[in-house]
Amino acid sequence: MLRGSGNAYGFFAILLHWLIALLILALLTLGYIMTRPDIDPALQFSLFQWHKSFGMLVLALALVRAVQWCMSVKVAPVATLSALERLLSSITHKLLLVLGVLVPLAGWVIASVSPLGIPTFMFDLFVVPHLPLAQSEGAETLWSEVHATLAYTLLCLIVLHALAALYHHLWRGDDVLMRMLGRRRSPPREKRS
């Protein structure tokens, strides 16, 4: 099923979800490695370029996902969720969508305001133009902190999101996780005591 319905996510939403998730986790890992103080400068430059390329890819995919989310039929929450769980789920999903756009956008701002003026070579295919912003060390420092803070916030939300999905799958036995794996809904199991 390419398009979602009231009870299931469509193939496109599932594909975007997992692709963006994997790319973000790879970017967080790469971001940590490339900022180590003992890294070889030539390797660091290459890692920064890969980080920026994949970051731009995430930005594009996250924008597509946000538009798709706004235009698609909303999947109803699993019936066994409490009102509080529904609220927290809704807030978390919206924050994940917003941060999926803001984190790479902040990274693009860093590249644009850096006085070094190093271009972003998108997978060595073309150069991504800088945003029309004033360059300064102060702006680069500020946006680097914004980017890092947003990235770590996104990481915390991803961990919370994954733990909640595993909790619902392993402990509650409902279809929260299975729906994002494209599986058919099954009757909920009884809660464990």
Side-chain angles (χ1 to χ4, degrees):
M1 167 171 47
L2 286 176
R3 295 182 57 114
S5 68
N7 290 325
Y9 293 100
F11 174 78
F12 190 58
I14 293 170
L15 177 66
L16 283 173
H17 174 274
W18 290 109
L19 183 57
I20 292 169
L22 289 172
L23 286 170
I24 287 173
L25 291 174
L27 280 165
L28 288 164
T29 303
L30 190 56
Y32 175 77
I33 293 169
M34 71 188 198
T35 56
R36 304 285 301 153
D38 55 347
I39 194 166
D40 174 66
L43 174 61
Q44 185 179 43
F45 180 82
S46 293
L47 293 178
F48 263 93
Q49 288 299 328
W50 282 105
H51 184 81
K52 293 193 292 181
S53 293
F54 281 112
M56 296 303 289
L57 180 59
V58 166
L59 177 59
L61 291 173
L63 287 169
V64 169
R65 176 68 178 113
V67 169
Q68 185 269 337
W69 183 84
C70 290
M71 297 177 62
S72 67
V73 175
K74 300 300 178 265
V75 175
V78 172
T80 57
L81 296 184
S82 69
L84 178 59
E85 287 173 319
R86 288 172 193 240
L87 175 64
L88 292 174
S89 174
S90 176
I91 291 169
T92 302
H93 284 105
K94 289 173 184 166
L95 284 173
L96 287 169
L97 280 171
V98 169
L99 287 172
V101 172
L102 291 182
V103 173
L105 185 58
W108 191 5
V109 171
I110 295 169
S112 299
V113 301
S114 172
L116 297 175
I118 298 171
T120 298
F121 301 105
M122 187 74 173
F123 299 112
D124 285 332
L125 298 174
F126 59 91
V127 174
V128 176
H130 287 160
L131 297 168
L133 301 169
Q135 296 179 341
S136 73
E137 285 184 22
E140 182 181 19
T141 300
L142 171 69
W143 282 102
S144 294
E145 289 174 11
V146 168
H147 182 63
T149 301
L150 292 175
Y152 285 120
T153 302
L154 179 58
L155 176 61
C156 290
L157 280 173
I158 289 170
V159 169
L160 179 67
H161 181 66
L163 289 174
L166 289 172
Y167 165 75
H168 280 276
H169 182 71
L170 299 172
W171 186 260
R172 300 267 302 265
D174 58 31
D175 284 331
V176 168
L177 176 61
M178 296 310 289
R179 294 190 311 175
M180 193 44 79
L181 294 173
R183 303 283 174 88
R184 291 182 167 256
R185 294 179 53 89
S186 60
R189 295 185 303 209
E190 292 182 25
K191 291 182 185 178
R192 297 180 187 173
S193 42

